[in-house]
Amino acid sequence: MLAVENTKCECGHQNAVGTVLCESCGKPLDAALQQSSEPLEMRYDGVARRSQKSNPAIIDRIWNFFSSVKIAIYLIVVTFVTAMLGTIYPQESSFINSFDATTYYEENYGTPGKIYYELGLSHTYESWWFIGLLVMIGTSLVICSLDRVLPLYRALQKQQIRKHHQFILRQKTVYRSEIAGDPKEWVEKFGAQLKRKGYKLHFEEGTGTALLAEKNRFSRWGPYINHIGLILFLLAVLARSIPGWQMDSYVSVPDGDTVPIAGTNYYVKSEKFNVEFYTDDELPEELKGTARAKKYETQAVLYKCVANCDDPLKEPELEEVMDHNIIVNDPLVYKGLKLYQFDFNLTPRLNAVSPILEDKRTGEIYGPFYLPMKNPELKHQLGPFTLEIRANYMEFALDSEGKPTTLSREPNAPAFIFSVKGPGLAEEGEPYIYFPMQKDKVKFAQDTINRELAGKIEIRVDGMENVDFSEATTHLNVRMDKALPYLWVGAVFSMVGLILGSYWQHRRIWLRVDGTELALGAHTNKNWFGMRSDVAGALKKIGVEIDPKTLDNGGNNA
Amino acid sequence: MSLVEFSGDVFLVAFFLYCFSFLFYVIAVTGKRWSGREPREHERRWGKIAFVVSLAGLAAHLAFFFTRWAGSGQIPTSNMYEFMTFLAMAIMIAFTIVFAIYRKPLLGMFAVPLTIIIVAYASVFPSEVQPLIPALESIWLKVHVTTAALGEAFFAVGFAAGLMYLLRVIDFKDTSKSGRKAQRWVEFTLYTILVIVGFLIAVFAFRGAGYEATFTQEKLVIDSQGQQQDVKETVHYYLPPIVKPYNSQAESVEPFLGLDKPLLEAPSWMNGVNAGRKLNTVVWSIIAGTLLYGLLRLLFRKPLGAVIHPALEGVNPEDLDEISYRAIVIGFPVFTLGALIFAMIWAEKAWGRFWGWDPKEVWALITWLYYSAYLHFRLSRGWQGLPSAWLAVIGFVIVLFTLIGVNLIIAGLHSYAGV
């Protein structure tokens, strides 16, 4: 048979199972606790928490598990220890370039590296168990808080003023003495002093010889507000895995180009990328001669596509929505879309040339004609000559069979093969290969390839004014993160809670006078030093000089 | 004289004032039992003198900070020298606040030397003003670094009080197993502090003597195009090389006590900038610290803990426990704000992500989780007093690792702060 615990206090109050101190008069309910004279454990004012229910069912058991502060501490400790392990070697996510994780760790760090990789520590923070730990901490936050805050709220709502002697005299701060004169007057005088220190006073109705003085109760809610903030924060972090909530990609924009931002309806143009370095005059001795960057800046313009966006055959219609000079620490921000200065490349890129055609036999010059690297016109008429583009290559190379091929789609070594028709040339046209860049012309021996045609005509660029190139390419990081506002709200809650809970303390003083006998007990959740000086200060004001230290009744600084 | 030069001079003044203040705190605490003195009166008087001198030191330190700021046009918190001087100043501010609450001169005897050590440590790094790189060009440099350092400074004061608690309560006459264990660990903590002092002595002694050795190190670097490149770097040593950089050749090594070539090579997995030199410095620090510890043991002929212990008699350990707890409680929200929230705001502004699991970020989180565990432990029965004091001491080790260790051992986005 189950033993039925008697939870009714001698004052007549019926307490819930698990209550340590009577919710009404504060007398310890447990017989063993009644015998002892040790200071009382005042956590949550000794009220029963939900987790202390009798006959726990399965839900209660889970609840009980997560409601334990001990479990919460274990979770925190395990989390920070695993987080430490994750910093031993670089995480996979810290590599921007593609690399082979299966071999990288072993090659670079030997056997420990291999073990590190095999254990999954090379991606600690994305692993299911680490995220699981965070989720468990979140659960613990919710349950621990609910388990305590509701009973605590109830207990603080209905505090009795005249407490049991056992309760008062077993506080951590206690004062006991005989008083002369009218007790009611004494209590009023003492109360007035506490009131000046910001305490709210509650005198026992009728007699006026018992007092509860209380201040800063709100600070008790600090930890719970903090926990709400942390939960919001964690939820916001988890929400980032909802598709479409966040975006993280990169675009490369050569000077003057307009490039679509994948996954959005936007285009970005880089008017110009600038990098500035400190001059030697600005640098201290040991840094002179080093290229210390001063500023990276992309003069960016953001466009929105308004028509023909998905039709590859038509030019999209763009509308400018914003222009901004993107520098480090100052991204372009437009309706949640953010463009960050990420990297740059100072290799110039050829955009277009305007070459001329010389008839070497007569010395006549025709042209110039405009020849962009991308999407050039296929046919050019230059005086009596006709040029037709047969093929063009962005990064010209010869494959293993000696056939021309292109290595990439970037104009790093462009080449054009024209079919040239004109006076003194074959009727069906003669092939002519043209390398716009001097280095390629030499490297691939343009004149040798073109054979005798090279002696008849030449296509070349006269002067730099006929060359159009981008000096630099900027790399921008494109970001979107819809969870951010929630995250900041969580952070604000958390901070407010921390401040309320840390910089104010809930202080309560109970006193009762029975005849000439004064019993005073005081409790705070933090800062006993301040609690004692409040009591000693108020006593001093009414003529009782004591050293605050003598109020200390032992026990722990919780 | 430029403002920056002037700031260097007042910094020196601050350093000496701190040293004097430490001396006066020692007199205030240990002089109580000198003959012909009224202990309370003595402590009150000398405690006051010491506090005023430490305040003067702080004033000089603040003058250093603001004149350097005005002279260089940028807040002096952007490299290791500047950050460490700022941290030392923050510790003095935190100490002043906690002292104003509790008025225990004893706290000064432990917090002020901590400041002195950090000031000396700062002076190891080059003190020239370095113009800001674009990543640091932000209002958040001011906000994030200063608040984070202030939070950490309160943890430092919590550490000082925790260490005092340990020295106060651990019974050096106890010969039981657990008693010996506690004594050993306190002794080890003191030894660790001496290793740091040893480091300072080694660095300044060899710097005074103008010692130098040079190595060329070959490194494989993978550039942005994914190409492997062999890069040759010259590494200068200012302490005799016991450990040479990984994969390096000696260019010139001044002989020191017959040591004319390195004895060992740094392991390849040490990633940070100049990892070999740093490892060499660590080895030297341990040697110097051990020598120093040995000398002190010879001098006193008993464990150092037992030497300090009597000075703390008469101090209420509960007060120390509460001061340590209180300092951490005050510091925790400041740390949260500075090292996590402001850091996230800045990271979001600079890199487009509020969190990236960069080692420095992870360690800030570890510090935060550690202290939140501490705060929850305080709610549990049996964790006040001795266990709490140990937690406060270990916590500060984690703080120091976050601030310095991460830069020395692990490379990451914050590596610009390493020297």
Side-chain angles (χ1 to χ4, degrees), chain B residues 85-391:
Chain B
T85 56
F86 185 82
L87 179 69
M89 189 168 85
I91 292 176
M92 281 313 289
I93 293 171
F95 159 73
T96 307
I97 292 172
V98 176
F99 184 88
I101 302 174
Y102 292 99
R103 317 232 167 219
K104 299 268 182 259
L106 192 63
L107 190 59
M109 195 172 123
F110 285 79
V112 174
L114 190 63
T115 305
I116 294 173
I117 289 175
I118 293 177
V119 166
Y121 180 68
S123 310
V124 168
F125 299 98
S127 64
E128 281 88 357
V129 175
Q130 296 169 343
L132 296 182
I133 56 170
L136 294 180
E137 201 78 65
S138 168
I139 171 90
W140 294 101
L141 172 68
K142 304 179 184 83
V143 180
H144 156 64
V145 180
T146 52
T147 20
L150 189 63
E152 283 148 355
F154 279 101
F155 295 158
V157 173
F159 156 79
L163 183 60
M164 278 154 67
Y165 181 92
L166 294 176
L167 288 165
R168 168 68 184 81
V169 299
I170 285 175
D171 179 4
F172 286 86
K173 292 187 185 75
D174 186 359
T175 51
S176 71
K177 208 174 159 206
S178 62
R180 282 185 180 281
K181 197 172 134 199
Q183 290 162 23
R184 262 201 305 276
W185 279 105
V186 168
E187 203 61 12
F188 177 74
T189 309
L190 294 173
Y191 167 75
T192 312
I193 296 171
L194 284 181
V195 168
I196 297 168
V197 176
F199 159 77
L200 296 170
I201 293 174
V203 168
F204 288 112
F206 284 108
R207 184 180 286 181
Y211 184 88
E212 198 176 342
T214 317
F215 293 88
T216 39
Q217 181 181 18
E218 264 185 54
K219 267 188 178 169
L220 266 185
V221 178
I222 296 170
D223 68 13
S224 57
Q225 260 85 46
Q227 306 285 320
Q228 288 209 342
Q229 281 185 336
D230 247 342
V231 179
K232 279 201 178 164
E233 267 176 21
T234 312
V235 184
H236 295 279
Y237 272 49
Y238 303 101
L239 295 174
I242 295 173
V243 183
K244 67 169 188 171
Y246 174 71
N247 199 13
S248 67
Q249 292 299 317
E251 292 285 303
S252 67
V253 176
E254 277 180 45
F256 172 73
L257 296 178
L259 180 81
D260 55 359
K261 61 176 192 299
L263 303 172
L264 303 162
E265 184 174 11
S268 61
W269 49 263
M270 285 201 162
N271 269 322
V273 183
N274 286 329
R277 183 172 78 194
K278 287 166 188 166
L279 181 64
N280 187 56
T281 310
V282 169
V283 172
W284 267 105
S285 312
I286 291 172
I287 293 172
T290 310
L291 282 175
L292 190 60
Y293 179 77
L295 269 175
L296 289 171
R297 280 299 289 266
L298 275 179
L299 195 67
F300 293 110
R301 298 185 178 272
K302 55 181 169 182
L304 298 187
V307 176
I308 304 171
H309 179 73
L312 301 175
E313 264 166 25
V315 179
N316 185 345
E318 267 194 34
D319 284 349
L320 292 176
D321 182 48
E322 189 175 326
I323 293 172
S324 174
Y325 178 40
R326 194 81 195 288
I328 291 169
V329 168
I330 295 175
F332 190 73
V334 182
F335 180 81
T336 310
L337 190 65
L340 294 175
I341 296 182
F342 287 159
M344 284 192 279
I345 297 176
W346 191 9
E348 151 65 25
K349 256 198 139 20
W351 300 312
R353 86 286 184 293
F354 63 93
W355 195 262
W357 297 108
D358 173 68
K360 194 83 165 183
E361 291 174 343
V362 176
W363 276 92
L365 178 68
I366 289 167
T367 310
W368 186 79
L369 286 173
Y370 181 90
Y371 280 102
S372 31
Y374 168 91
L375 294 176
H376 287 93
F377 269 129
R378 292 285 317 198
L379 297 174
S380 319
R381 221 169 305 191
W383 277 87
Q384 291 90 11
L386 200 60
S388 270
W390 275 118
L391 288 177

Side-chain angles (χ1 to χ4, degrees), chain A residues 322-351:
Chain A
M322 191 183 185
D323 68 297
H324 182 79
N325 289 351
I326 301 173
I327 58 173
V328 182
N329 279 312
D330 187 11
L332 180 153
V333 184
Y334 181 76
K335 290 188 178 168
L337 180 83
K338 296 174 193 165
L339 299 178
Y340 291 86
Q341 186 63 53
F342 178 72
D343 201 357
F344 62 94
N345 183 355
L346 288 181
T347 318
R349 200 201 62 168
L350 192 60
N351 293 329

Side-chain angles (χ1 to χ4, degrees), chain A residues 221-232:
Chain A
W221 315 127
Y224 305 104
I225 297 171
N226 172 25
H227 287 175
I228 290 171
L230 292 176
I231 293 160
L232 280 176

